[in-house]
Amino acid sequence: MDLYNLTTVTQFILLRLSDLPEVRYPLFVALLIIYQITLVGNGAIILAITIEQKLHTPMYFLLANLSLLDIFCPSTTVPKMLQNLLTEDHSISFVGCALQLYFLVALLATEVFLLAVMAYDRYVAICFPLRYTLIMSHIRCAQLLTGTWAAGFLNSLLHTMTTISLSFCKSNRVDQYYCDVPPVVALSCSSTYMAEMVLLVVGGVFGTSAFLITLISYLYIISTILKIRSAEGKRKAFSTCASHLTVVCLFYGTVIFNYIRPSSSKHSPARDRLISMLYGVMTPMLNPLIYSLRNTEVKGALRRLLCF
């Protein structure tokens, strides 16, 4: 039920993936399977890196953090979406919405920063192989990881505070399957200028900076690889960053589709929402598959883990 002419909204109504029973239950099963594969796949990578002594290097510590994010991120949205598919009540409390928004933005921002750090790590490994252990020491890796998580969660705190400080008195129907900044801000009956400017300026500065670090790192990496004379040397150098480059393309593809892509009247908003949701859920599931298939060390560690 919509809430009108009220100064305080106590709950929001989320969209349900489908209201048709013949579609709802297959969607529930598919989403549940994807979520379980995501948890098992990323959990296996974390366990393999933890157990395998030779994987205790900065590159794999960063990968373990990526897998941790790929467990946490869908866990902020998928359980609620699964519940909404089975029940008639698809509301979420104001506090619940604020928490979901906070953790979703925090984890996504942390992943943006982490991908930039991982790109820098590959840049040092390929462009300065003899100085790699000196530059990317365990202490430096820990400092970068701490900064990455802190920046992501502080960034989200700012966005969340500017969003929940708005007045909501028009409607409480969120035009999305979960709480996110743009659809929640759109419900406000007060001025959204500050929230939109914070999203544009802070999100733009941090997001663009992380993207540029990733892009410039790979430009240097590609330039260095092309200078290698032997085909075997090029293949080995490229294989060390191929998995990460694939993950970067998948992640930024999701971000562009969800937040940057211009809207078009030719496409159904409902279809766009469904595609963006599936894209966001599928990416964390695919990441461990990409690393396990393309990285021989991870593949070997997982094989030994399964045989243990």
Side-chain angles (χ1 to χ4, degrees):
M1 181 175 67
D2 287 350
L3 302 178
Y4 293 92
N5 302 320
L6 295 176
T7 56
T8 303
V9 168
T10 58
Q11 65 177 16
F12 291 102
I13 307 298
L14 299 173
L15 288 180
R16 190 156 53 183
L17 289 170
S18 176
D19 290 318
L20 300 173
E22 60 270 22
V23 177
R24 230 162 61 193
Y25 299 122
L27 269 177
F28 174 85
V29 173
L31 192 58
L32 181 61
I33 291 172
I34 291 171
Y35 182 52
Q36 288 178 330
I37 292 173
T38 300
L39 297 181
V40 172
N42 285 288
I45 284 190
I46 293 171
L47 189 58
I49 292 172
T50 304
I51 294 174
E52 192 73 26
Q53 191 67 33
K54 70 176 183 179
L55 296 184
H56 290 181
T57 63
M59 173 183 170
Y60 292 108
F61 284 142
L62 295 173
L63 175 58
N65 276 263
L66 179 65
S67 292
L68 199 60
L69 285 168
D70 284 339
I71 288 174
F72 289 159
C73 201
S75 296
T76 62
T77 57
V78 173
K80 184 61 180 174
M81 286 193 288
L82 289 171
Q83 178 190 336
N84 290 346
L85 281 169
L86 293 182
T87 62
E88 294 303 320
D89 178 22
H90 39 107
S91 63
I92 185 171
S93 67
F94 184 90
V95 173
C97 184
L99 287 172
Q100 188 181 62
L101 184 153
Y102 171 71
F103 283 108
L104 178 63
V105 174
L107 294 166
L108 287 175
T110 303
E111 188 158 349
V112 169
F113 300 142
L114 181 62
L115 289 175
V117 172
M118 293 176 79
Y120 173 74
D121 171 75
R122 293 299 84 208
Y123 159 73
V124 175
I126 292 173
C127 299
F128 305 99
L130 298 179
R131 297 174 56 195
Y132 177 72
T133 54
L134 180 64
I135 297 173
M136 284 299 294
S137 63
H138 284 74
I139 294 174
R140 177 67 56 82
C141 182
Q143 290 171 339
L144 288 171
L145 283 172
T146 302
T148 293
W149 284 85
F153 277 77
L154 288 173
N155 173 65
S156 180
L157 181 63
L158 182 59
H159 290 304
T160 305
M161 293 305 295
T162 54
T163 300
I164 65 173
S165 63
L166 298 171
S167 299
F168 299 96
C169 53
K170 293 189 295 185
S171 173
N172 67 338
R173 291 186 180 273
V174 179
D175 192 28
Q176 187 51 281
Y177 307 119
Y178 47 82
C179 289
D180 198 2
V181 175
V184 173
V185 168
L187 299 177
S188 174
C189 56
S190 58
S191 174
T192 59
Y193 177 79
M194 183 58 68
E196 290 172 352
M197 287 304 296
V198 167
L199 184 63
L200 181 65
V201 175
V202 178
V205 169
F206 282 113
T208 303
S209 299
F211 175 75
L212 286 176
I213 290 171
T214 305
L215 179 63
I216 293 169
S217 295
Y218 272 103
L219 288 176
Y220 275 107
I221 288 169
I222 292 168
S223 175
T224 302
I225 291 175
L226 291 176
K227 292 176 183 176
I228 299 173
R229 293 182 179 180
S230 69
E232 181 65 18
K234 288 180 179 180
R235 188 192 65 80
K236 285 183 178 179
F238 183 73
S239 66
T240 63
C241 60
S243 299
H244 178 253
L245 185 58
T246 306
V247 169
V248 166
C249 292
L250 273 174
F251 178 81
Y252 278 104
T254 306
V255 171
I256 289 168
F257 190 93
N258 282 338
Y259 300 105
I260 302 172
R261 181 182 61 94
S263 59
S264 172
S265 57
K266 295 180 182 179
H267 300 124
S268 163
R271 191 186 71 173
D272 283 356
R273 282 193 301 267
L274 182 60
I275 293 172
S276 67
M277 183 277 300
L278 289 173
Y279 205 173
V281 171
M282 291 290 287
T283 302
M285 181 191 75
L286 293 174
N287 286 351
L289 296 176
I290 292 167
Y291 273 99
S292 61
L293 290 174
R294 298 192 65 92
N295 189 300
T296 54
E297 290 183 325
V298 172
K299 193 189 301 183
L302 288 172
R303 191 181 294 114
R304 284 187 288 275
L305 181 65
L306 291 173
C307 296
F308 179 70

